[in-house]
Amino acid sequence: MNYGDTTFMMLATSMVCLMTPGLAFFYGGLARKRSVLYIMMQSFISMGIVTLIWIYGGFGLAFGRDMGGVIGNISDYFGLVHVGLVPSNVHAASIPFILFFAFQLMFCVITVPLMSGAFAERLNMKGYIWLLIVWTILIYIPVCHWIWGGGFLDKLGFVDFAGGTVIHTTAGFAALSAIFVLGRRNQDNIAMQPSNLMAAAVGTGLLWFGWFGFNSGGALKAGQLAATAFSNTFIGLASGMVTWMIYARIVRGKVNFVDVLTGSVAGLATITPVAGYIEPQKAIIVGIVAGIICNLALSFQEKRGWDDALGVWGVHGVGGFTGTILIGLLADKEVNQVSASAHQLLVQVGGVALVAIYSFVVTFIILKVLGHLTSIKPSDEQVQKGLDKTLLEQTTYDIN
C-alpha cells in the first residue's frame, strides 16, 4: 500500500462525493421556485439508497470475477466481504480496497441524479425511488462491469478514463428515453424559469471542484497520469465555456449567465472520458468540439419539441458520447498506452453506441413497466401548485 496514493484517492473520493450536493444546487437553482426542494432531494437521497445497493451486491456485480463478459460475481463482495484495508491485486493495487470501493461508489451515486434534470416535475418520489433502484441495478452496474470491471468491452480494448460512457452517456440517453415515456409537461408549465442563478452558480462551482477529483482520480494513484487528467480538466472546462459563449453570441446574438454555467459543464462532460489519454494541448480541441456539438444538440432537441427541461441529453449525453469517440481520434500512446487509430475509433464508436442504445431501451422498458404497476407521475394540479408544497409539504420561497 502506498500512503501517498491513499491520501490522494481519499481526497479524490471526497471531491466526487461533493459533486452530488453540487448537482443538487445546480439543478435546484435552474428549476422553478415551486419545485426547488423536490429536485434537490432527488440528488441527496441517492447517497443513501445507492450506497446500500453498492454494499449488498452492486459492487460485486460491477467488479467481481467476470462471468461471461456481461456481469461480475455478486457473491465476491456481498456485504463488504473481502472488502477491507488490504489492496486488491486486480483493482488499484496501491490503495486499500475499501477506498477503491468508496471511489467507485461516488460515481454510481451521482449517475441517476444527473438524468433527473431532464424530466423535472414529471416523476413523483415513488417513481423516482423505484427508477433509482432498478436503473442502477439493470443499467449502471452492468455497463460499469463491461468497461471497468473486466467485461466484454474492456476485453475488446474500449476505454473510458473517468466516466464519459459509464456515467454521462448512460444518464444522458436514459434521460432522453425518460422524456419520451413521461411526455411533455402541460403547455402552460413548459417554461423553466431559473429560481436562483446564484444557487446554480454555487452548484456549478462545486461541480468544477469535484470534477478535478472525478477525472484525476481515474488514475487511481498520484502521479503523472493524474496530473495530466487534472490539467486536461480545467483546460476542457475553459475551452468549452468560451466556445459556448462565442456560439451563443453568434447564433442567438447574446450571452447570458446560464450559457456560462452550461458551457463549462459541457466542456467537463466531454473531456471526462478522454482526460487520461491526451496531452493538455489537445484538451483545447475537446472543449471547442464540446461547445459546438452540445449546442447543436440542444438546438436540435428544442426544434423537435423534446421537453428536456435542463438539457441533460444535449450536455451530458452528447458530451460524454462525443468525448468517448474523440479518444479514437486524439489519444496519444505516450500518455496512457492508448493511441488514436482507425481500429481504436471503431471500437470507441461501437462501444459508446451500444451503451447509448442499451441505456435508452432499458430505461424505456423500466419506466413503462413502473407506469403500469403504479402511479409514477405527479398530477397537473400538483405541478401547478408546486411539488415542494404538494409532495413534500415544504417550500423554499414564499409563494402565493
Side-chain angles (χ1 to χ4, degrees):
M1 182 173 69
N2 183 288
Y3 291 115
D5 291 345
T6 300
T7 302
F8 169 72
M9 288 305 299
M10 288 174 65
L11 177 60
T13 302
S14 301
M15 293 168 72
V16 180
C17 179
L18 187 63
M19 293 179 72
T20 297
L23 183 71
F25 272 94
F26 180 61
Y27 282 169
L30 294 178
R32 295 190 299 180
K33 291 182 179 180
R34 291 177 170 84
S35 302
V36 172
L37 293 180
Y38 185 76
I39 197 168
M40 293 183 72
M41 185 174 171
Q42 291 178 333
S43 291
F44 275 89
I45 64 174
S46 180
M47 176 62 78
I49 294 172
V50 172
T51 296
L52 294 179
I53 295 172
W54 203 239
I55 292 172
Y56 295 105
F59 184 59
L61 290 170
F63 291 99
R65 288 168 295 170
D66 178 54
M67 300 176 65
V70 178
I71 201 70
N73 191 327
I74 190 173
S75 64
D76 281 356
Y77 307 121
F78 190 89
L80 296 180
V81 173
H82 306 306
V83 180
L85 299 178
V86 178
S88 165
N89 292 326
V90 179
H91 305 292
S94 66
I95 64 173
F97 195 35
I98 188 69
L99 182 54
F100 176 79
F101 166 93
F103 181 69
Q104 292 296 338
L105 166 62
M106 297 310 154
F107 281 179
C108 188
V109 165
I110 199 172
T111 306
V112 171
L114 268 180
M115 74 172 78
S116 65
F119 48 77
E121 302 181 337
R122 277 164 290 167
L123 197 63
N124 62 29
M125 190 57 69
K126 177 173 58 176
Y128 177 76
I129 290 175
W130 274 113
L131 177 66
L132 178 63
I133 295 170
V134 179
W135 194 95
T136 298
I137 294 171
L138 295 185
I139 298 179
Y140 182 88
I141 289 172
V143 172
C144 181
H145 180 77
W146 299 349
I147 297 170
W148 290 340
F152 73 95
L153 286 179
D154 182 26
K155 292 173 182 175
L156 288 173
F158 181 91
V159 293
D160 172 13
F161 189 73
T165 301
V166 177
I167 299 167
H168 295 283
T169 298
T170 57
F173 281 84
L176 183 63
S177 180
I179 65 176
F180 288 155
V181 176
L182 299 174
R184 292 167 61 84
R185 287 164 293 161
N186 184 293
Q187 191 64 39
D188 295 334
N189 295 329
I190 287 296
M192 183 66 80
Q193 296 298 327
S195 61
N196 189 329
L197 286 179
M198 287 189 291
V202 170
T204 305
L206 293 174
L207 289 174
W208 288 2
F209 179 76
W211 226 299
F212 288 107
F214 197 93
N215 285 355
S216 61
L220 298 175
K221 62 180 180 180
Q224 292 182 345
L225 181 57
T228 298
F230 188 97
S231 302
N232 287 337
T233 300
F234 67 75
I235 294 172
L237 181 164
S239 180
M241 177 199 291
V242 172
T243 303
W244 192 287
M245 292 167 62
I246 293 172
Y247 184 100
R249 183 70 179 85
I250 293 173
V251 175
R252 297 194 297 273
K254 65 177 181 179
V255 180
N256 61 35
F257 192 33
V258 174
D259 287 321
V260 175
L261 304 181
T262 307
S264 68
V265 173
L268 288 166
T270 308
I271 197 66
T272 292
V274 72
Y277 299 108
I278 61 173
E279 296 175 337
Q281 296 89 333
K282 294 179 181 178
I284 298 174
I285 299 173
V286 176
I288 292 172
V289 171
I292 297 172
I293 296 297
C294 293
N295 252 307
L296 291 173
L298 289 182
S299 297
F300 176 78
Q301 69 182 42
E302 288 173 5
K303 290 179 181 178
R304 300 292 297 178
W306 300 346
D307 188 10
D308 184 351
L310 302 180
V312 176
W313 174 75
V315 174
H316 294 282
V318 173
F321 190 98
T322 301
T324 301
I325 292 174
L326 287 176
I327 294 171
L329 297 172
L330 301 176
D332 186 337
K333 191 174 184 178
E334 297 299 319
V335 175
N336 193 14
Q337 302 181 331
V338 176
S339 58
S341 66
H343 173 74
Q344 190 65 47
L345 178 62
L346 181 62
V347 170
Q348 295 301 122
V349 171
V352 74
L354 173 65
V355 169
I357 294 169
Y358 177 79
S359 184
F360 182 94
V361 172
V362 177
T363 302
F364 191 94
I365 295 171
I366 291 171
L367 287 171
K368 281 290 188 181
V369 171
L370 289 177
H372 281 295
L373 295 177
T374 186
S375 173
I376 61 174
K377 295 179 64 175
S379 66
D380 287 342
E381 182 181 2
Q382 288 175 324
V383 173
Q384 189 65 36
K385 290 181 178 179
L387 299 185
D388 289 354
K389 183 176 181 179
T390 57
L391 299 184
L392 303 182
E393 297 183 358
Q394 295 174 309
T395 58
T396 302
Y397 304 97
D398 291 328
I399 302 173
N400 295 325

